[in-house]
Amino acid sequence: MTDLPYRPNVAAIIFNPKGKIFIALRHDLAKEGIWSFPQGGIDANENPSEAIKRELAEEIGTDQIEILEEYPEWLSYDFPPDVLLNPLKGKYKGQTQKWFAVRFTGKDEDIDLDNHVEKEFDEWKWIDITELKTIKTGYKYDIYMKISDHFKKYTDI
């Protein structure tokens, strides 16, 4: 399995006007209580900043965001063995991600988790960035800690 490629992906930490961050309970891992940031694949001929806007519109039902910063590097992680069994993930050994810090410019009512045919999340909330280390995020924990440390300057918006 180590000869499999990484899936190109985008992900975002969304900051509200009060400097809190958006986190959502994954639909497919709700029983395990796994929370996640919105993320998704990059389509052919799509640049990462276009992809993150599309993914947010699909996954949380709104594109009312302003990109604050793009993380300077691509960050990669491997899927754990049980995740590799998933049909999509069986094609990839993991994901390589371009991360964005974005400011949410809409109202909470603009977020619609039922917007997309393939439901990604069951519920969502705004949290202090310091709370992230206590939230169950599964195998993405290390990358979440790295990215939240880099983007924490946006909590003082």
Side-chain angles (χ1 to χ4, degrees), residues 28-114:
D28 59 340
L29 298 170
K31 289 181 183 175
E32 290 87 8
I34 302 294
W35 293 75
S36 178
F37 292 124
Q39 66 175 51
I42 300 172
D43 292 340
N45 301 316
E46 187 177 40
N47 71 48
S49 59
E50 292 169 344
I52 196 59
K53 291 175 185 175
R54 177 187 50 76
E55 281 295 331
L56 292 175
E58 289 176 1
E59 292 189 359
I60 67 168
T62 185
D63 61 357
Q64 295 185 43
I65 58 110
E66 169 192 356
I67 294 176
L68 299 168
E69 182 181 351
E70 181 177 325
Y71 191 76
E73 304 167 18
W74 289 81
L75 298 177
S76 301
Y77 63 87
D78 292 340
F79 293 130
D82 61 319
V83 175
L84 280 170
L85 301 176
N86 176 300
L88 168 69
K89 295 178 179 92
K91 297 177 185 177
Y92 304 100
K93 66 179 171 185
Q95 301 198 96
T96 187
Q97 297 180 307
K98 180 54 81 167
W99 277 88
F100 293 88
V102 303
R103 175 183 293 127
F104 179 57
T105 59
K107 296 182 172 92
D108 286 359
E109 300 80 40
D110 297 325
I111 296 172
D112 180 4
L113 301 183
D114 296 320

Coordinates of all heavy atoms in Angstrom, one line a residue, residues 28-114:
D28 N -19.9 10.3 9.1 CA -19.5 8.9 9.0 C -18.8 8.4 10.3 O -18.7 7.2 10.5 CB -18.6 8.7 7.8 CG -17.4 9.6 7.8 OD1 -17.3 10.6 8.5 OD2 -16.4 9.2 7.1
L29 N -18.5 9.3 11.2 CA -17.8 9.0 12.4 C -18.5 9.5 13.6 O -17.9 9.6 14.7 CB -16.3 9.4 12.4 CG -15.5 8.9 11.3 CD1 -14.1 9.6 11.2 CD2 -15.3 7.4 11.4
A30 N -19.8 9.8 13.5 CA -20.5 10.4 14.6 C -20.6 9.5 15.8 O -20.5 9.9 16.9 CB -21.9 10.8 14.1
K31 N -20.7 8.2 15.6 CA -20.8 7.2 16.7 C -19.5 7.2 17.5 O -19.5 7.0 18.7 CB -21.1 5.8 16.2 CG -22.5 5.6 15.6 CD -22.7 4.2 15.2 CE -24.1 4.1 14.6 NZ -24.4 2.8 14.0
E32 N -18.4 7.5 16.8 CA -17.1 7.6 17.5 C -16.8 8.9 18.1 O -15.9 9.2 18.8 CB -16.0 7.2 16.6 CG -15.9 5.7 16.2 CD -16.8 5.4 15.0 OE1 -17.3 6.4 14.3 OE2 -17.0 4.2 14.7
G33 N -17.7 9.9 17.8 CA -17.5 11.3 18.3 C -16.4 12.0 17.7 O -15.7 12.8 18.4
I34 N -16.1 11.8 16.4 CA -14.9 12.4 15.7 C -15.4 13.8 15.1 O -16.3 13.8 14.3 CB -14.3 11.5 14.7 CG1 -13.9 10.2 15.3 CG2 -13.2 12.2 13.9 CD1 -12.7 10.3 16.3
W35 N -14.7 14.8 15.4 CA -14.9 16.2 14.9 C -13.9 16.5 13.8 O -12.8 16.0 13.9 CB -14.9 17.2 16.0 CG -16.1 17.0 17.0 CD1 -16.2 16.0 17.9 CD2 -17.3 17.7 17.0 NE1 -17.4 16.1 18.6 CE2 -18.1 17.2 18.0 CE3 -17.7 18.9 16.3 CZ2 -19.3 17.7 18.4 CZ3 -19.0 19.4 16.7 CH2 -19.8 18.8 17.7
S36 N -14.2 17.4 12.9 CA -13.3 17.7 11.8 C -13.5 19.1 11.3 O -14.5 19.8 11.5 CB -13.6 16.7 10.7 OG -12.8 16.9 9.6
F37 N -12.4 19.6 10.7 CA -12.5 20.8 9.9 C -13.0 20.4 8.5 O -12.8 19.3 8.0 CB -11.2 21.5 9.8 CG -10.6 22.1 11.0 CD1 -9.4 21.7 11.5 CD2 -11.4 23.0 11.8 CE1 -8.9 22.2 12.7 CE2 -10.9 23.5 13.0 CZ -9.6 23.1 13.4
P38 N -13.7 21.3 7.8 CA -14.1 21.0 6.4 C -12.9 20.8 5.5 O -11.9 21.5 5.7 CB -14.9 22.3 6.0 CG -15.3 23.0 7.2 CD -14.2 22.6 8.2
Q39 N -13.0 19.9 4.6 CA -11.9 19.6 3.7 C -12.5 18.8 2.5 O -13.6 18.3 2.6 CB -10.8 18.8 4.4 CG -11.3 17.4 4.8 CD -10.1 16.5 5.4 OE1 -9.4 17.0 6.3 NE2 -10.0 15.3 4.9
G40 N -11.7 18.7 1.5 CA -12.1 17.9 0.3 C -11.1 17.9 -0.8 O -10.2 18.7 -0.8
G41 N -11.4 17.1 -1.8 CA -10.5 16.9 -2.9 C -10.5 18.1 -3.8 O -11.4 18.9 -3.9
I42 N -9.4 18.2 -4.5 CA -9.2 19.2 -5.6 C -9.5 18.6 -6.9 O -9.0 17.6 -7.3 CB -7.7 19.7 -5.6 CG1 -7.4 20.4 -4.2 CG2 -7.5 20.8 -6.7 CD1 -5.9 20.7 -4.0
D43 N -10.4 19.2 -7.6 CA -10.8 18.7 -9.0 C -9.7 19.0 -10.0 O -8.9 19.9 -9.8 CB -12.1 19.4 -9.4 CG -13.3 19.0 -8.6 OD1 -13.3 17.9 -7.9 OD2 -14.3 19.7 -8.6
A44 N -9.8 18.3 -11.1 CA -8.8 18.5 -12.2 C -8.9 19.9 -12.6 O -9.9 20.5 -12.8 CB -9.1 17.5 -13.3
N45 N -7.7 20.5 -12.9 CA -7.6 21.9 -13.3 C -8.2 23.0 -12.4 O -8.5 24.1 -12.8 CB -8.2 22.1 -14.7 CG -7.6 21.2 -15.7 OD1 -6.3 21.1 -15.8 ND2 -8.4 20.5 -16.5
E46 N -8.3 22.6 -11.1 CA -8.8 23.6 -10.1 C -7.7 24.0 -9.2 O -6.9 23.2 -8.8 CB -9.9 22.8 -9.3 CG -10.6 23.7 -8.3 CD -11.7 23.0 -7.6 OE1 -11.5 21.8 -7.2 OE2 -12.8 23.6 -7.4
N47 N -7.6 25.3 -8.9 CA -6.5 25.7 -8.0 C -7.0 25.6 -6.6 O -8.2 25.6 -6.4 CB -6.0 27.1 -8.4 CG -6.9 28.2 -8.1 OD1 -7.5 28.3 -7.0 ND2 -7.1 29.1 -9.0
P48 N -6.1 25.5 -5.6 CA -6.5 25.3 -4.2 C -7.5 26.3 -3.7 O -8.4 26.0 -3.0 CB -5.2 25.3 -3.5 CG -4.2 24.7 -4.4 CD -4.7 25.4 -5.7
S49 N -7.3 27.6 -4.0 CA -8.2 28.6 -3.5 C -9.6 28.5 -4.1 O -10.6 28.8 -3.4 CB -7.7 30.0 -3.7 OG -7.5 30.3 -5.0
E50 N -9.7 28.1 -5.3 CA -11.1 27.8 -5.9 C -11.7 26.6 -5.2 O -12.9 26.5 -4.9 CB -11.0 27.6 -7.4 CG -10.6 28.7 -8.2 CD -10.3 28.4 -9.6 OE1 -10.0 27.2 -9.9 OE2 -10.2 29.3 -10.5
A51 N -10.8 25.6 -5.0 CA -11.3 24.3 -4.4 C -11.8 24.5 -3.0 O -12.9 23.9 -2.6 CB -10.2 23.3 -4.4
I52 N -11.2 25.4 -2.2 CA -11.6 25.5 -0.8 C -13.0 26.2 -0.8 O -13.9 25.9 0.0 CB -10.6 26.2 0.1 CG1 -11.0 26.0 1.6 CG2 -10.4 27.7 -0.2 CD1 -11.1 24.6 2.1
K53 N -13.2 27.2 -1.7 CA -14.5 27.9 -1.7 C -15.6 26.9 -2.1 O -16.7 26.9 -1.6 CB -14.4 29.1 -2.7 CG -13.6 30.2 -2.2 CD -13.4 31.3 -3.2 CE -12.4 32.4 -2.7 NZ -12.2 33.4 -3.7
R54 N -15.3 26.1 -3.1 CA -16.3 25.1 -3.6 C -16.6 24.1 -2.5 O -17.7 23.7 -2.2 CB -15.8 24.3 -4.8 CG -16.7 23.2 -5.3 CD -16.1 22.4 -6.5 NE -14.8 22.0 -6.2 CZ -14.5 20.9 -5.4 NH1 -15.4 20.3 -4.7 NH2 -13.2 20.5 -5.2
E55 N -15.5 23.6 -1.8 CA -15.7 22.6 -0.8 C -16.5 23.1 0.4 O -17.4 22.4 0.9 CB -14.4 22.0 -0.3 CG -13.7 21.0 -1.2 CD -14.5 19.7 -1.3 OE1 -15.2 19.3 -0.3 OE2 -14.4 19.1 -2.3
L56 N -16.3 24.3 0.8 CA -17.1 24.9 1.9 C -18.5 25.1 1.5 O -19.4 24.8 2.3 CB -16.5 26.3 2.3 CG -15.1 26.1 3.0 CD1 -14.5 27.5 3.3 CD2 -15.2 25.3 4.3
A57 N -18.8 25.5 0.2 CA -20.2 25.6 -0.2 C -20.8 24.2 -0.2 O -22.0 24.1 0.2 CB -20.2 26.2 -1.6
E58 N -20.1 23.2 -0.6 CA -20.7 21.8 -0.6 C -20.9 21.3 0.8 O -22.0 20.7 1.1 CB -19.8 20.9 -1.4 CG -19.8 21.1 -2.9 CD -18.8 20.3 -3.7 OE1 -18.1 19.4 -3.0 OE2 -18.7 20.4 -4.9
E59 N -19.9 21.4 1.6 CA -19.9 20.7 2.9 C -20.7 21.5 4.0 O -21.3 20.8 4.8 CB -18.5 20.4 3.4 CG -17.8 19.4 2.5 CD -16.5 18.9 3.1 OE1 -16.1 19.4 4.2 OE2 -15.9 18.1 2.5
I60 N -20.6 22.8 4.0 CA -21.3 23.5 5.1 C -22.3 24.5 4.5 O -22.9 25.3 5.3 CB -20.3 24.2 6.0 CG1 -19.6 25.4 5.3 CG2 -19.3 23.2 6.6 CD1 -18.8 26.3 6.3
G61 N -22.6 24.4 3.2 CA -23.7 25.2 2.6 C -23.5 26.7 2.4 O -24.4 27.4 2.2
T62 N -22.2 27.2 2.6 CA -22.0 28.6 2.4 C -20.6 28.8 1.8 O -19.7 28.1 2.1 CB -22.2 29.4 3.7 OG1 -22.1 30.8 3.4 CG2 -21.2 29.0 4.7
D63 N -20.6 29.9 1.0 CA -19.3 30.3 0.4 C -19.0 31.7 0.9 O -18.2 32.4 0.4 CB -19.3 30.2 -1.1 CG -20.3 31.1 -1.7 OD1 -21.1 31.8 -1.0 OD2 -20.3 31.2 -3.0
Q64 N -19.7 32.1 2.0 CA -19.5 33.4 2.6 C -18.2 33.5 3.4 O -18.3 33.5 4.7 CB -20.7 33.8 3.3 CG -21.9 34.0 2.4 CD -23.1 34.5 3.1 OE1 -23.0 35.4 3.9 NE2 -24.3 33.9 2.9
I65 N -17.1 33.4 2.7 CA -15.8 33.4 3.4 C -14.9 34.3 2.7 O -15.0 34.7 1.5 CB -15.2 32.0 3.5 CG1 -15.0 31.4 2.1 CG2 -16.1 31.1 4.4 CD1 -13.6 31.2 1.7
E66 N -13.9 34.7 3.5 CA -12.8 35.5 2.9 C -11.5 34.8 3.3 O -11.3 34.5 4.5 CB -12.8 36.9 3.5 CG -11.6 37.8 3.3 CD -11.5 39.0 4.2 OE1 -12.5 39.3 4.9 OE2 -10.5 39.7 4.1
I67 N -10.6 34.5 2.3 CA -9.4 33.8 2.6 C -8.4 34.8 3.3 O -8.2 35.9 2.8 CB -8.8 33.2 1.3 CG1 -9.6 32.1 0.8 CG2 -7.3 32.7 1.6 CD1 -9.2 31.5 -0.5
L68 N -8.0 34.4 4.4 CA -7.0 35.2 5.2 C -5.6 34.9 4.9 O -4.7 35.8 4.8 CB -7.3 35.1 6.7 CG -8.6 35.5 7.2 CD1 -8.8 35.0 8.7 CD2 -8.8 37.0 7.1
E69 N -5.3 33.6 4.8 CA -4.0 33.1 4.6 C -4.0 31.7 4.0 O -4.8 30.9 4.4 CB -3.2 33.2 5.9 CG -1.7 32.8 5.8 CD -1.0 32.8 7.1 OE1 -1.5 33.3 8.1 OE2 0.2 32.3 7.1
E70 N -3.0 31.4 3.2 CA -2.8 30.1 2.7 C -1.5 29.5 3.4 O -0.5 30.2 3.4 CB -2.6 30.1 1.2 CG -2.3 28.8 0.5 CD -2.2 28.9 -1.0 OE1 -2.9 29.8 -1.6 OE2 -1.4 28.2 -1.6
Y71 N -1.6 28.4 4.0 CA -0.4 27.8 4.7 C 0.7 27.6 3.6 O 0.4 27.1 2.5 CB -0.7 26.5 5.3 CG 0.3 26.0 6.2 CD1 0.6 26.5 7.5 CD2 1.2 24.9 5.8 CE1 1.6 26.1 8.3 CE2 2.2 24.4 6.7 CZ 2.4 25.0 7.9 OH 3.4 24.5 8.7
P72 N 1.9 27.9 3.9 CA 3.0 28.0 2.8 C 3.3 26.6 2.2 O 3.9 26.5 1.1 CB 4.2 28.6 3.5 CG 3.9 28.5 4.9 CD 2.4 28.4 5.1
E73 N 3.1 25.5 2.9 CA 3.5 24.2 2.5 C 2.3 23.3 2.3 O 1.2 23.6 2.9 CB 4.4 23.5 3.5 CG 5.6 24.3 3.9 CD 6.3 23.7 5.1 OE1 6.0 22.6 5.5 OE2 7.1 24.5 5.7
W74 N 2.5 22.2 1.6 CA 1.5 21.1 1.6 C 1.8 20.2 2.7 O 3.0 19.9 3.0 CB 1.6 20.4 0.3 CG 1.1 21.1 -0.9 CD1 1.8 22.1 -1.6 CD2 -0.2 21.0 -1.5 NE1 1.0 22.6 -2.6 CE2 -0.2 21.9 -2.6 CE3 -1.3 20.2 -1.3 CZ2 -1.3 22.1 -3.4 CZ3 -2.4 20.4 -2.1 CH2 -2.4 21.3 -3.1
L75 N 0.8 19.8 3.5 CA 1.0 18.9 4.6 C 0.3 17.6 4.3 O -0.8 17.5 3.8 CB 0.3 19.5 5.9 CG 0.9 20.9 6.4 CD1 0.1 21.3 7.6 CD2 2.4 20.7 6.7
S76 N 1.1 16.5 4.5 CA 0.6 15.2 4.2 C 0.4 14.3 5.4 O 1.1 14.5 6.4 CB 1.6 14.5 3.2 OG 1.7 15.3 2.0
Y77 N -0.5 13.4 5.3 CA -0.7 12.4 6.4 C -1.1 11.1 5.7 O -1.8 11.1 4.7 CB -1.7 12.8 7.5 CG -3.1 13.1 7.0 CD1 -4.0 12.0 7.0 CD2 -3.5 14.3 6.7 CE1 -5.3 12.2 6.6 CE2 -4.8 14.5 6.3 CZ -5.7 13.5 6.3 OH -7.0 13.7 5.9
D78 N -0.8 10.0 6.4 CA -1.2 8.7 5.9 C -2.5 8.3 6.6 O -2.7 8.6 7.8 CB -0.1 7.6 6.3 CG 1.2 7.8 5.5 OD1 1.1 8.5 4.4 OD2 2.2 7.3 5.9
F79 N -3.3 7.5 5.9 CA -4.5 7.0 6.5 C -4.1 5.8 7.4 O -3.2 5.0 7.0 CB -5.5 6.5 5.4 CG -6.1 7.5 4.5 CD1 -6.0 7.4 3.1 CD2 -6.7 8.6 5.0 CE1 -6.6 8.3 2.3 CE2 -7.3 9.6 4.2 CZ -7.2 9.4 2.8
P80 N -4.8 5.6 8.5 CA -4.6 4.4 9.3 C -5.1 3.2 8.5 O -6.0 3.3 7.6 CB -5.4 4.7 10.5 CG -6.3 5.8 10.3 CD -5.8 6.5 9.1
P81 N -4.7 2.0 8.8 CA -5.0 0.8 8.1 C -6.5 0.6 7.9 O -7.0 0.2 6.8 CB -4.4 -0.4 8.9 CG -3.3 0.3 9.6 CD -3.7 1.7 9.9
D82 N -7.3 0.9 8.9 CA -8.8 0.6 8.8 C -9.4 1.6 7.8 O -10.4 1.3 7.2 CB -9.5 0.7 10.2 CG -9.3 2.0 10.9 OD1 -8.2 2.6 10.8 OD2 -10.3 2.5 11.5
V83 N -8.9 2.8 7.7 CA -9.4 3.8 6.8 C -9.1 3.4 5.3 O -9.8 3.7 4.4 CB -8.9 5.2 7.1 CG1 -9.4 6.2 6.1 CG2 -9.4 5.6 8.5
L84 N -7.9 2.8 5.1 CA -7.5 2.4 3.8 C -8.5 1.4 3.1 O -8.6 1.3 1.9 CB -6.2 1.7 3.8 CG -5.0 2.6 3.9 CD1 -3.7 1.9 4.2 CD2 -4.8 3.4 2.6
L85 N -9.4 0.8 4.0 CA -10.4 -0.2 3.4 C -11.5 0.6 2.8 O -12.3 0.0 2.0 CB -10.9 -1.1 4.6 CG -9.8 -1.9 5.3 CD1 -10.5 -2.6 6.4 CD2 -9.2 -2.8 4.3
N86 N -11.7 1.8 3.1 CA -12.8 2.6 2.4 C -12.5 2.7 0.9 O -11.4 2.9 0.5 CB -12.7 4.1 3.0 CG -13.7 5.0 2.4 OD1 -13.6 5.3 1.2 ND2 -14.6 5.6 3.2
P87 N -13.6 2.5 0.1 CA -13.3 2.4 -1.4 C -12.6 3.6 -1.9 O -11.6 3.4 -2.7 CB -14.7 2.4 -1.9 CG -15.6 1.8 -0.8 CD -14.9 2.3 0.4
L88 N -12.9 4.8 -1.6 CA -12.2 6.0 -2.1 C -10.7 6.0 -1.6 O -9.8 6.2 -2.3 CB -12.8 7.3 -1.7 CG -12.0 8.6 -2.0 CD1 -11.9 8.8 -3.5 CD2 -12.7 9.8 -1.3
K89 N -10.6 5.7 -0.3 CA -9.3 5.8 0.3 C -8.4 4.6 -0.1 O -7.2 4.7 0.1 CB -9.4 6.0 1.8 CG -10.1 7.3 2.1 CD -10.3 7.6 3.6 CE -10.9 8.9 3.8 NZ -12.4 8.9 3.9
G90 N -9.0 3.6 -0.6 CA -8.2 2.4 -1.1 C -7.4 2.8 -2.3 O -6.5 2.0 -2.7
K91 N -7.6 3.9 -2.9 CA -6.8 4.4 -4.0 C -5.7 5.3 -3.6 O -4.8 5.6 -4.4 CB -7.7 5.2 -5.0 CG -8.9 4.5 -5.6 CD -9.7 5.4 -6.4 CE -10.9 4.7 -6.9 NZ -11.8 5.7 -7.7
Y92 N -5.6 5.7 -2.3 CA -4.6 6.6 -1.8 C -4.1 6.1 -0.5 O -4.8 5.5 0.3 CB -5.2 8.0 -1.6 CG -5.9 8.6 -2.9 CD1 -7.3 8.5 -3.0 CD2 -5.1 9.2 -3.9 CE1 -7.9 9.0 -4.2 CE2 -5.7 9.7 -5.0 CZ -7.1 9.6 -5.2 OH -7.7 10.1 -6.3
K93 N -2.8 6.4 -0.3 CA -2.2 6.1 1.0 C -2.5 7.1 2.1 O -2.3 6.9 3.3 CB -0.7 5.8 0.9 CG 0.1 7.0 0.6 CD 1.6 6.6 0.6 CE 2.5 7.7 0.0 NZ 3.8 7.3 -0.1
G94 N -3.0 8.3 1.6 CA -3.3 9.4 2.5 C -3.6 10.6 1.7 O -4.0 10.5 0.6
Q95 N -3.5 11.8 2.4 CA -3.8 13.0 1.7 C -2.7 14.0 1.8 O -2.0 14.0 2.9 CB -5.1 13.6 2.3 CG -6.3 12.7 2.1 CD -7.6 13.3 2.3 OE1 -8.2 13.7 1.3 NE2 -8.1 13.5 3.5
T96 N -2.5 14.8 0.8 CA -1.6 16.0 0.9 C -2.5 17.2 0.8 O -3.3 17.3 -0.1 CB -0.5 15.9 -0.2 OG1 0.4 17.0 0.1 CG2 -1.0 16.0 -1.6
Q97 N -2.4 18.1 1.8 CA -3.4 19.1 1.9 C -2.8 20.5 1.8 O -1.7 20.8 2.4 CB -4.1 19.0 3.3 CG -4.9 17.8 3.5 CD -5.6 17.7 4.8 OE1 -4.9 17.9 5.8 NE2 -6.9 17.5 4.8
K98 N -3.5 21.4 1.2 CA -3.2 22.8 1.2 C -4.3 23.4 2.2 O -5.5 23.3 2.0 CB -3.4 23.5 -0.2 CG -3.1 24.9 -0.2 CD -1.8 25.4 0.4 CE -0.6 25.2 -0.6 NZ 0.6 25.9 -0.1
W99 N -3.8 24.0 3.3 CA -4.6 24.6 4.3 C -4.8 26.1 4.2 O -3.9 26.8 3.7 CB -4.0 24.3 5.7 CG -4.2 22.9 6.2 CD1 -3.5 21.8 5.9 CD2 -5.3 22.6 7.0 NE1 -4.1 20.7 6.6 CE2 -5.2 21.2 7.2 CE3 -6.4 23.3 7.6 CZ2 -6.1 20.5 8.0 CZ3 -7.3 22.5 8.4 CH2 -7.1 21.2 8.6
F100 N -6.0 26.5 4.6 CA -6.4 27.9 4.5 C -6.9 28.4 5.9 O -7.7 27.6 6.5 CB -7.4 28.2 3.4 CG -6.9 28.0 2.0 CD1 -7.0 26.7 1.4 CD2 -6.4 29.0 1.3 CE1 -6.5 26.5 0.2 CE2 -5.9 28.8 0.0 CZ -6.0 27.6 -0.6
A101 N -6.6 29.6 6.2 CA -7.4 30.3 7.3 C -8.4 31.2 6.6 O -8.0 31.9 5.7 CB -6.4 31.1 8.2
V102 N -9.6 31.0 6.9 CA -10.7 31.9 6.3 C -11.5 32.5 7.4 O -11.7 32.0 8.5 CB -11.5 31.0 5.3 CG1 -10.7 30.4 4.3 CG2 -12.4 30.0 6.0
R103 N -12.0 33.7 7.0 CA -12.9 34.4 7.9 C -14.4 34.2 7.4 O -14.6 34.4 6.2 CB -12.7 35.9 7.9 CG -13.7 36.7 8.7 CD -13.5 38.2 8.7 NE -12.2 38.5 9.4 CZ -11.2 39.2 8.8 NH1 -11.3 39.7 7.6 NH2 -10.1 39.5 9.5
F104 N -15.3 33.8 8.3 CA -16.7 33.6 7.9 C -17.3 35.0 7.9 O -17.3 35.7 8.9 CB -17.3 32.7 8.9 CG -18.8 32.4 8.7 CD1 -19.2 31.9 7.5 CD2 -19.7 32.7 9.6 CE1 -20.6 31.7 7.2 CE2 -21.1 32.5 9.4 CZ -21.5 32.0 8.2
T105 N -17.9 35.3 6.8 CA -18.5 36.7 6.6 C -20.0 36.7 6.7 O -20.6 37.7 6.6 CB -18.0 37.3 5.3 OG1 -18.4 36.5 4.2 CG2 -16.5 37.5 5.3
G106 N -20.6 35.5 6.8 CA -22.0 35.4 6.9 C -22.6 35.3 8.3 O -21.9 35.8 9.2
K107 N -23.8 34.8 8.4 CA -24.5 34.7 9.7 C -24.5 33.2 10.0 O -24.6 32.4 9.0 CB -25.9 35.3 9.7 CG -25.9 36.8 9.4 CD -27.3 37.3 9.5 CE -27.3 38.8 9.4 NZ -27.4 39.3 8.1
D108 N -24.6 32.8 11.2 CA -24.7 31.4 11.6 C -25.8 30.6 10.8 O -25.7 29.5 10.4 CB -24.9 31.2 13.1 CG -23.6 31.5 13.9 OD1 -22.6 31.8 13.3 OD2 -23.7 31.3 15.1
E109 N -26.9 31.3 10.6 CA -28.0 30.7 9.8 C -27.7 30.4 8.4 O -28.4 29.6 7.7 CB -29.2 31.7 9.8 CG -29.8 32.1 11.2 CD -28.9 33.2 11.9 OE1 -28.5 34.1 11.2 OE2 -28.7 33.0 13.1
D110 N -26.6 30.9 7.9 CA -26.2 30.7 6.5 C -25.5 29.3 6.4 O -25.3 28.8 5.3 CB -25.2 31.7 6.0 CG -25.8 33.1 5.9 OD1 -27.0 33.2 5.6 OD2 -25.1 34.1 6.2
I111 N -25.1 28.7 7.5 CA -24.5 27.4 7.5 C -25.6 26.3 7.4 O -26.5 26.3 8.2 CB -23.6 27.2 8.8 CG1 -22.4 28.3 8.7 CG2 -23.0 25.8 8.8 CD1 -21.6 28.3 9.9
D112 N -25.4 25.5 6.4 CA -26.5 24.5 6.2 C -25.8 23.1 5.9 O -25.3 22.9 4.8 CB -27.3 24.9 4.9 CG -28.4 23.9 4.6 OD1 -28.6 22.9 5.4 OD2 -29.1 24.1 3.6
L113 N -25.7 22.3 6.9 CA -25.1 21.0 6.8 C -25.8 20.0 5.9 O -25.3 19.0 5.5 CB -24.8 20.4 8.2 CG -24.0 21.2 9.1 CD1 -23.8 20.4 10.4 CD2 -22.7 21.6 8.5
D114 N -27.1 20.3 5.6 CA -27.9 19.4 4.7 C -27.9 19.8 3.3 O -28.7 19.3 2.5 CB -29.3 19.4 5.3 CG -29.4 18.8 6.6 OD1 -28.7 17.8 6.9 OD2 -30.2 19.3 7.5

